[in-house]
């Protein structure tokens, strides 16, 4: 089934953000509560996509997902499919979500946990009734920032998903193709959709985030 760049961008953005959010939350929570040798090295790896060119991340993803990597053991091809779009956007969104949640965890007051333990609360209850409510603004911000990043992903997408019309062409890659083909009108139309979608997401986040404090 063919999809328009707008529809594909939204669907890929949501799937990628949810996937990256789950992984980032788990990683941030683990890193916050564990001390082990090589912790700083691992955290650096998590944050590398923030500073490396997307094409570099895309190159490594291409190698890993190709026939010489895990792609050679899979029954279906991932490269240049919608699934590759999701992986590309998730890779781009993960470090932003991770960093936001990690900073949120660092700001939690230990006194809340001490009070909860004194009152007889279990670790599960502390997580449910202390960590999650206090961390909700960071969780919301992380999800929104991740989604905003995922819908604008370009470099990694071009490396592992390509730009197949109706299949892997997102708004970002559609803008690129329209521009190099000299169709500035279409490029501006696609750009307008992307700007509008990002603006709406951030605006809603600002309104929702203020209610959490």
């Amino acid at each position: 089934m063919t999809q328009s760049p707008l529809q594909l961008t939204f669907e890929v953005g949501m799937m990628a953000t949810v996937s990256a959010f789950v992984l980032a939350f788990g990683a941030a929570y683990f890193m916050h509560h564990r001390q082990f040798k090589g912790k700083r090295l691992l955290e650096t790896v998590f944050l590398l996509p923030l500073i490396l060119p997307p094409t570099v991340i895309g190159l490594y993803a291409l190698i890993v997902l190709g026939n010489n990597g895990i792609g050679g053991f899979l029954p279906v091809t991932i490269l240049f499919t919608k699934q590759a779009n999701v992986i590309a956007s998730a890779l781009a969104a993960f470090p932003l979500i991770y960093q936001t949640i990690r900073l949120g965890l660092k700001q939690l007051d230990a006194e809340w946990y001490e009070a909860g333990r004194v009152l007889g609360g279990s670790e599960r209850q502390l997580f449910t009734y202390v960590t999650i409510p206090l961390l909700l603004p960071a969780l919301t911000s992380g999800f929104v920032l991740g989604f905003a990043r995922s819908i604008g992903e370009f470099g990694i997408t071009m490396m592992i998903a390509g730009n197949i019309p109706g299949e892997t062409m997102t708004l970002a890659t559609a803008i690129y193709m329209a521009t190099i083909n000299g169709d500035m009108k279409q490029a501006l139309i696609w750009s307008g959709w992307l700007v509008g979608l990002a603006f709406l997401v951030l605006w809603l986040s600002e309104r929702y985030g203020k209610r959490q404090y």
Side-chain angles (χ1 to χ4, degrees), residues 83-159:
Q83 288 72 30
N85 279 100
V86 174
I87 293 172
S89 293
L91 286 172
F94 175 87
L96 274 175
I97 301 174
Y98 171 83
Q99 183 73 336
T100 303
I101 296 175
R102 186 85 167 87
L103 292 175
L105 285 168
K106 288 182 178 180
Q107 294 175 2
L108 296 183
D109 194 336
E111 292 183 359
W112 286 95
Y113 294 93
E114 293 300 326
R117 293 187 180 98
V118 169
L119 293 173
S122 65
E123 292 303 314
R124 178 176 294 182
Q125 288 174 322
L126 291 175
F127 177 80
T128 303
Y129 299 108
V130 178
T131 300
I132 295 301
L134 293 177
L135 196 61
L136 191 56
L139 295 176
T140 303
S141 297
F143 189 91
V144 170
L145 287 173
F147 181 73
R149 177 66 184 86
S150 69
I151 63 175
E153 165 48 35
F154 175 77
I156 308 175
T157 298
M158 288 293 286
M159 294 292 288

Side-chain angles (χ1 to χ4, degrees), residues 14-88:
M14 286 302 300
M15 289 188 288
T17 305
V18 171
S19 301
F21 182 86
V22 172
L23 293 174
F25 179 78
Y29 193 80
F30 174 81
M31 296 291 282
H32 181 72
H33 289 90
R34 296 289 185 273
Q35 295 296 330
F36 55 91
K37 188 177 181 179
K39 179 178 178 178
R40 288 189 177 182
L41 177 61
L42 181 58
E43 188 158 47
T44 301
V45 172
F46 287 159
L47 298 177
L48 269 179
L50 284 176
I51 58 175
L52 284 176
T55 49
V56 174
I57 304 299
L59 174 61
Y60 287 118
L62 184 65
I63 294 172
V64 171
L65 296 175
N67 291 331
N68 294 324
I70 63 173
F73 300 95
L74 299 176
V76 295
T77 300
I78 295 179
L79 293 176
F80 306 107
T81 64
K82 184 176 180 180
Q83 288 72 30
N85 279 100
V86 174
I87 293 172

